[in-house]
Amino acid sequence: MGTEEKTNTCGTICLKYLLFTFNLIFWLAGGAVAAVGIWTLVDKSEYISLLASSAYSASAYVLILAGVVVVATGILGCCATIKEHRGFLIVYFVLLLFIFLLEITAGVLAYVYYQECFPLCYQLSDELRVNLKEKMVNQYQQPGQDHVTQAVDKLHQDLKCCGSNNFTDWRDGEWNKALAGDRVVPDSCCKTPSDLCGRRHHPSNIYNVEGGCISKLEEFILQHLQILGGVGIGLAFIQLVGMIFTCCLYRSLKEEPY
């Protein structure tokens, strides 16, 4: 009898350490997820401002919210483990299961969206083709549109492209009428930006890629969909380990005498 009680106690201690370690990793992962959401809003806000839809900024806020929930869940898991409180363990298990289902759903949706999008990505192209060219040629360097100007310049340089479809887009719109001068493209289209370098549109001087910035943006977003889908599904299955540890600890505590 004494040996059985000792075995249960040792098993419980091992489970507590395992679950506590898992919670620590889970807590750090939640912080990382929230950080990715914040980074998306801060570092990619220029790209987001070029899109009429709020779907992409909303996804960043969802990441931040998910990270906060994961952090809170990890803290609850640590408290439940240290206190050996079965009620907290049940709540913790339910939260893990809820986040698990969300991650599986998000991962599957990202994968399905990628399969439907690739290679033409109709939904994304429709939005970009309607809004990107209009914002570029009509709002670039216009009064009160500094955020659009910065976004377009950053888009040109980061993704190494010029214009929404190609550099000829800059022949139309308000920028060409009033601000271009003898330039055919903005200076940010140049491979080595400098004042008035946009006067030459030769491929040796400017970025001239097939499909323009639209194709580059599509490629950028689709790559991130793949990554997010894979990470979401991968983390979801890792959470299965945490749920198994939680169930085992709950049963161990239930079987031990008080």
Side-chain angles (χ1 to χ4, degrees):
M1 184 69 177
T3 303
E4 182 179 354
E5 183 178 338
K6 179 70 174 177
T7 301
N8 287 337
T9 302
C10 289
T12 300
I13 292 173
C14 289
L15 285 170
K16 284 178 63 177
Y17 278 113
L18 287 171
L19 189 55
F20 187 85
T21 302
F22 170 81
N23 279 310
L24 181 60
I25 296 173
F26 192 54
W27 185 81
L28 293 174
V33 169
V36 169
I38 295 172
W39 172 77
T40 300
L41 287 178
V42 173
D43 190 63
K44 302 302 178 185
S45 59
E46 291 90 348
Y47 297 166
I48 294 172
S49 69
L50 293 175
L51 305 177
S53 172
S54 60
Y56 301 102
S57 58
S59 65
Y61 285 113
V62 169
L63 279 179
I64 296 173
L65 178 61
V68 171
V69 172
V70 168
V71 169
T73 302
I75 294 174
L76 176 62
C78 289
C79 293
T81 304
I82 294 173
K83 298 289 186 181
E84 299 184 6
H85 195 292
R86 287 183 292 169
F88 284 172
L89 285 174
I90 293 175
V91 175
Y92 175 64
F93 178 85
V94 171
L95 287 174
L96 275 183
L97 180 61
F98 176 71
I99 298 172
F100 170 80
L101 294 175
L102 282 180
E103 288 176 344
I104 285 290
T105 302
V108 170
L109 287 176
Y111 177 78
V112 171
Y113 183 78
Y114 173 81
Q115 292 299 317
E116 290 179 349
C117 242
F118 188 80
L120 297 179
C121 198
Y122 293 115
Q123 296 175 355
L124 185 58
S125 292
D126 286 344
E127 180 184 10
L128 290 177
R129 293 183 195 282
V130 168
N131 297 288
L132 190 56
K133 180 178 179 180
E134 190 277 332
K135 283 197 173 185
M136 280 186 165
V137 300
N138 290 323
Q139 298 182 28
Y140 184 75
Q141 290 187 347
Q142 297 300 310
Q145 299 295 334
D146 291 343
H147 64 288
V148 173
T149 301
Q150 294 173 4
V152 172
D153 288 340
K154 184 175 177 62
L155 190 67
H156 283 162
Q157 287 297 303
D158 286 357
L159 300 186
K160 301 185 186 323
C161 58
C162 182
S164 57
N165 295 287
N166 54 58
F167 75 92
T168 60
D169 291 335
W170 292 104
R171 295 174 181 173
D172 306 318
E174 296 300 321
W175 179 82
N176 185 58
K177 293 177 183 177
L179 300 168
D182 59 350
R183 290 178 297 176
V184 291
V185 295
D187 295 334
S188 59
C189 282
C190 298
K191 296 179 179 179
T192 304
S194 60
D195 290 338
L196 301 179
C197 67
R199 289 179 292 189
R200 291 180 58 248
H201 63 273
H202 193 274
S204 63
N205 183 52
I206 68 169
Y207 295 115
N208 186 13
V209 297
E210 184 178 355
C213 292
I214 285 179
S215 64
K216 287 289 189 175
L217 263 179
E218 289 174 354
E219 181 182 347
F220 174 82
I221 294 175
L222 288 175
Q223 286 176 349
H224 280 72
L225 279 175
Q226 285 182 299
I227 295 172
L228 289 174
V231 169
I233 294 177
L235 287 177
F237 280 103
I238 291 175
Q239 282 179 236
L240 282 174
V241 178
M243 287 188 281
I244 292 172
F245 287 161
T246 303
C247 289
C248 292
L249 181 58
Y250 178 83
R251 293 187 61 184
S252 178
L253 292 175
K254 186 176 180 180
E255 293 172 357
E256 286 188 354
Y258 292 95

